[in-house]
Amino acid sequence: MGGALTQRLGIERPLLAFSHSEHVVVAVSRAGGMGVLGAAQLTADELERKLAWLDARLGDVPYGVDLLLPGRYEAADEGGLDRDALVAEVPLAHRDFVQGILDDYAVPPLEEGYTFGDQVDGRGVPVTGNHTYTLKDTWPLVEVCLASRIRLFANALGVAPPEVIDAFHERDVPVAGLAGTPRHGEKHREGGTDIVIAQGYEAGGHTGEIASMVLIPDMVDAVGGLPVLAAGGIASGRQMAAALVLGASGVWTGSVWLTTEEAETTPVVREKFVRARADDTVRSRSFTGRPARQLRSAWTDAWEDPANPDPLPMPLQGILTAEPQVRISRAAEAGEGRAGELVNYFVGQVVGRLDAVRPAAEVFDAIVTECDRTLDSVRSGELAAR
Ligand SMILES: Cc1cc2nc3c(=O)[nH]c(=O)nc-3n(C[C@H](O)[C@H](O)[C@H](O)COP(=O)(O)O)c2cc1C
């Protein structure tokens, strides 16, 4: 393995790990892949601190950052919608419904004075990070990235605005973009994205309708020679090898790191993941307003019930659920009420394979070793002779 993409990124193996845990980022980058820090939920100060922490541990070893930047956004002329205006748009009926879920499962309020990050807005409503997903809110994070030594910038919500792509290119930092359809891949190419991440239906988090087996070769054919990273459904070396055989230049993984020792997942969620099977996930709009694959739980079931309100569009659903989700997570860890039935997290269908908590470096080695062995058996004709 090894080629133009690994050279461009300065890594040994084309195995990239998206993670909200800086500890996973360090482990994967040190192992010879590339860790990419999911930073959409952070404030600019938090991101700056995390990047300084990473620099102290990684030195010159490459790593990346991933944000949720909208290419087009509402009220663009004014720099995006105002957060207070958005908070006021959340209907009371939805607030009552969420409160009803919390009451039914005996989830206590956050203790007096508890805040998370510095994200309590003017109305006293806690808001984790950038739940408005506007360029106005995200721009300070972009500025932190531009001043850093990251070696890859990735964007999840469509093509990054041209001024962002240009700014990274001026610093010789390649820009990657997630795409769930070949058409989106083409838009990335037209917009100046350097690496397209083809993310299939089975992936954890926000995801589209096309499965990786179909999407990867279609994307490779659609993007006119741009390198494609395959994402969605990759947690083993055989899956990585299959993605390379389908034409990808490398793989972009998320879920497989969630049951590592270095993951950000809480013990209750990690335990749920270890027990879960591939068909225990659901694509639900209940967290952010856009379909995102996650573990099925009493929370997703409540939002699926046709008798209940539909989730709000992004970003309103995220604003509505940010504080309740923190309550649910904390109560589940403390064993309070029946919060353990509600608690869940984004994860893909590969959750069925995640059956133990292991160090991230061990997971990395297992994937690349099995991938090498599989590709060897392809080359030697052993697979064809089956
Ligand atoms: C917990 C979790 C959170 C995610 N958040 C983001 C995100 O903020 N930005 C992004 O580009 N992708 C996000 N993703 C998607 C990953 O980048 C990746 O494409 C996906 O996990 C790959 O599929 P897999 O889960 O089957 O490995 C997230 C995935 C998970 C599991």
Side-chain angles (χ1 to χ4, degrees), residues 18 20 66 68 156 178 199 202-205 231-234 252-255 258 345-346 350:
F18 170 92
H20 290 293
D66 176 286
L68 300 175
L178 270 78
Q199 192 199 243
E202 53 273 70
I234 298 164
W252 171 278
T253 52
S255 296
L258 297 174
Y345 196 52
F346 289 172
V350 293

Coordinates of all heavy atoms in Angstrom, one line a residue, residues 18 20 66 68 156 178 199 202-205 231-234 252-255 258 345-346 350, ligand 1:
F18 N -11.7 9.5 12.0 CA -12.5 10.6 12.5 C -12.8 10.3 14.0 O -13.3 9.2 14.3 CB -13.8 10.8 11.7 CG -14.7 11.8 12.4 CD1 -14.6 13.1 12.0 CD2 -15.5 11.4 13.4 CE1 -15.4 14.0 12.7 CE2 -16.3 12.3 14.1 CZ -16.3 13.7 13.7
H20 N -13.9 12.4 18.0 CA -14.0 13.5 18.8 C -13.0 13.4 20.0 O -13.0 14.4 20.8 CB -15.5 13.6 19.4 CG -16.5 13.9 18.4 ND1 -16.5 15.2 17.8 CD2 -17.5 13.2 17.9 CE1 -17.5 15.2 16.9 NE2 -18.1 14.1 17.0
D66 N -11.9 18.3 11.5 CA -13.1 18.2 10.7 C -14.1 19.2 11.4 O -14.3 19.2 12.6 CB -13.7 16.8 10.8 CG -15.0 16.6 10.2 OD1 -16.0 17.0 10.7 OD2 -15.1 16.0 9.1
L68 N -18.2 21.3 10.6 CA -19.4 21.3 9.9 C -19.7 22.7 9.3 O -20.2 23.5 10.0 CB -20.6 20.9 10.8 CG -20.6 19.5 11.5 CD1 -21.8 19.4 12.4 CD2 -20.6 18.4 10.4
A156 N -17.9 18.5 6.7 CA -19.0 17.5 6.6 C -20.2 17.9 5.9 O -20.9 17.1 5.3 CB -19.3 17.0 8.0
L178 N -17.0 15.4 2.8 CA -17.9 14.2 2.8 C -19.0 14.3 1.7 O -19.5 15.4 1.5 CB -18.5 14.0 4.2 CG -17.7 13.1 5.2 CD1 -16.6 14.0 5.8 CD2 -18.6 12.6 6.3
Q199 N -19.2 8.6 1.7 CA -19.7 8.0 2.9 C -21.0 7.3 2.7 O -22.0 7.9 2.2 CB -19.9 9.0 4.0 CG -20.1 8.4 5.3 CD -20.7 9.4 6.3 OE1 -20.2 9.7 7.3 NE2 -21.9 9.8 6.0
E202 N -24.4 3.0 5.6 CA -24.2 2.2 6.8 C -23.3 2.9 7.9 O -23.2 2.5 9.0 CB -23.6 0.8 6.5 CG -22.3 0.8 5.7 CD -22.5 0.8 4.2 OE1 -23.0 1.8 3.7 OE2 -22.3 -0.2 3.5
A203 N -22.8 4.1 7.5 CA -21.9 4.9 8.4 C -22.7 5.4 9.7 O -23.9 5.6 9.6 CB -21.4 6.1 7.6
G204 N -21.9 5.6 10.7 CA -22.4 6.3 11.9 C -22.5 7.8 11.6 O -21.7 8.3 10.8
G205 N -23.4 8.5 12.2 CA -23.5 10.0 12.1 C -24.4 10.3 10.9 O -25.1 9.4 10.4
A231 N -15.8 5.6 3.2 CA -16.3 5.7 4.6 C -17.6 5.0 4.7 O -18.4 5.0 3.8 CB -16.4 7.2 5.0
G232 N -17.8 4.4 5.9 CA -19.1 3.7 6.1 C -18.9 2.2 6.0 O -18.7 1.7 5.0
G233 N -19.0 1.6 7.2 CA -18.9 0.1 7.2 C -17.5 -0.5 7.2 O -17.4 -1.6 6.9
I234 N -16.5 0.3 7.6 CA -15.2 -0.2 7.6 C -14.6 -0.3 9.0 O -14.4 0.7 9.7 CB -14.3 0.7 6.7 CG1 -14.8 0.6 5.3 CG2 -12.8 0.2 6.8 CD1 -14.2 1.7 4.4
W252 N -11.7 6.1 5.5 CA -12.1 7.1 6.5 C -13.0 6.4 7.5 O -14.1 6.0 7.1 CB -12.7 8.3 5.8 CG -13.3 9.4 6.7 CD1 -14.5 9.4 7.2 CD2 -12.7 10.6 7.0 NE1 -14.8 10.5 7.9 CE2 -13.7 11.3 7.8 CE3 -11.5 11.2 6.8 CZ2 -13.4 12.6 8.3 CZ3 -11.2 12.5 7.2 CH2 -12.2 13.2 8.0
T253 N -12.6 6.2 8.7 CA -13.4 5.4 9.7 C -13.9 6.2 10.8 O -13.2 7.2 11.2 CB -12.5 4.3 10.2 OG1 -11.3 4.9 10.7 CG2 -12.2 3.3 9.1
G254 N -15.0 5.9 11.4 CA -15.5 6.6 12.6 C -15.8 5.6 13.8 O -15.3 5.7 14.8
S255 N -16.8 4.8 13.5 CA -17.4 4.0 14.6 C -16.4 3.1 15.3 O -16.4 2.9 16.5 CB -18.5 3.1 14.0 OG -19.5 3.9 13.5
L258 N -14.9 4.0 18.5 CA -15.8 4.4 19.7 C -15.7 3.4 20.8 O -16.1 3.7 21.9 CB -17.2 4.5 19.2 CG -17.5 5.7 18.2 CD1 -18.9 5.6 17.7 CD2 -17.2 7.0 18.8
Y345 N -25.9 7.1 21.0 CA -24.8 7.9 20.4 C -24.7 7.6 19.0 O -25.2 6.5 18.6 CB -23.5 7.6 21.2 CG -22.4 8.6 20.9 CD1 -22.5 10.0 21.1 CD2 -21.1 8.2 20.6 CE1 -21.5 10.9 21.0 CE2 -20.0 9.1 20.4 CZ -20.3 10.4 20.6 OH -19.2 11.3 20.4
F346 N -24.2 8.4 18.2 CA -24.0 8.0 16.8 C -23.1 6.8 16.7 O -22.0 6.7 17.3 CB -23.3 9.2 16.0 CG -24.1 10.4 15.8 CD1 -23.6 11.6 15.3 CD2 -25.5 10.4 16.1 CE1 -24.3 12.7 15.0 CE2 -26.3 11.6 15.9 CZ -25.7 12.7 15.3
V350 N -21.4 -1.2 11.7 CA -20.2 -2.0 12.1 C -20.2 -2.2 13.6 O -19.4 -2.9 14.2 CB -18.9 -1.4 11.7 CG1 -18.7 -1.5 10.2 CG2 -18.6 0.0 12.2
Ligands
LIG1 C1 -20.0 9.6 16.8 C2 -19.9 10.1 15.4 C3 -19.9 11.4 15.2 C4 -19.7 11.9 13.9 N1 -19.6 13.2 13.7 C5 -19.2 13.7 12.5 C6 -18.8 15.1 12.3 O1 -19.0 15.9 13.2 N2 -18.3 15.4 11.1 C7 -18.1 14.5 10.1 O2 -17.5 14.9 9.0 N3 -18.4 13.2 10.2 C8 -18.9 12.8 11.4 N4 -19.2 11.5 11.5 C9 -19.0 10.5 10.4 C10 -17.6 10.1 10.3 O3 -16.8 11.1 9.8 C11 -17.4 8.9 9.3 O4 -17.7 9.3 8.0 C12 -18.2 7.7 9.6 O5 -18.2 7.4 11.0 C13 -17.7 6.5 8.8 O6 -18.5 5.4 8.9 P1 -18.4 4.3 10.1 O7 -19.1 4.9 11.3 O8 -19.1 3.1 9.6 O9 -16.9 4.1 10.3 C14 -19.5 11.0 12.8 C15 -19.5 9.6 13.1 C16 -19.7 9.1 14.4 C17 -19.7 7.6 14.6

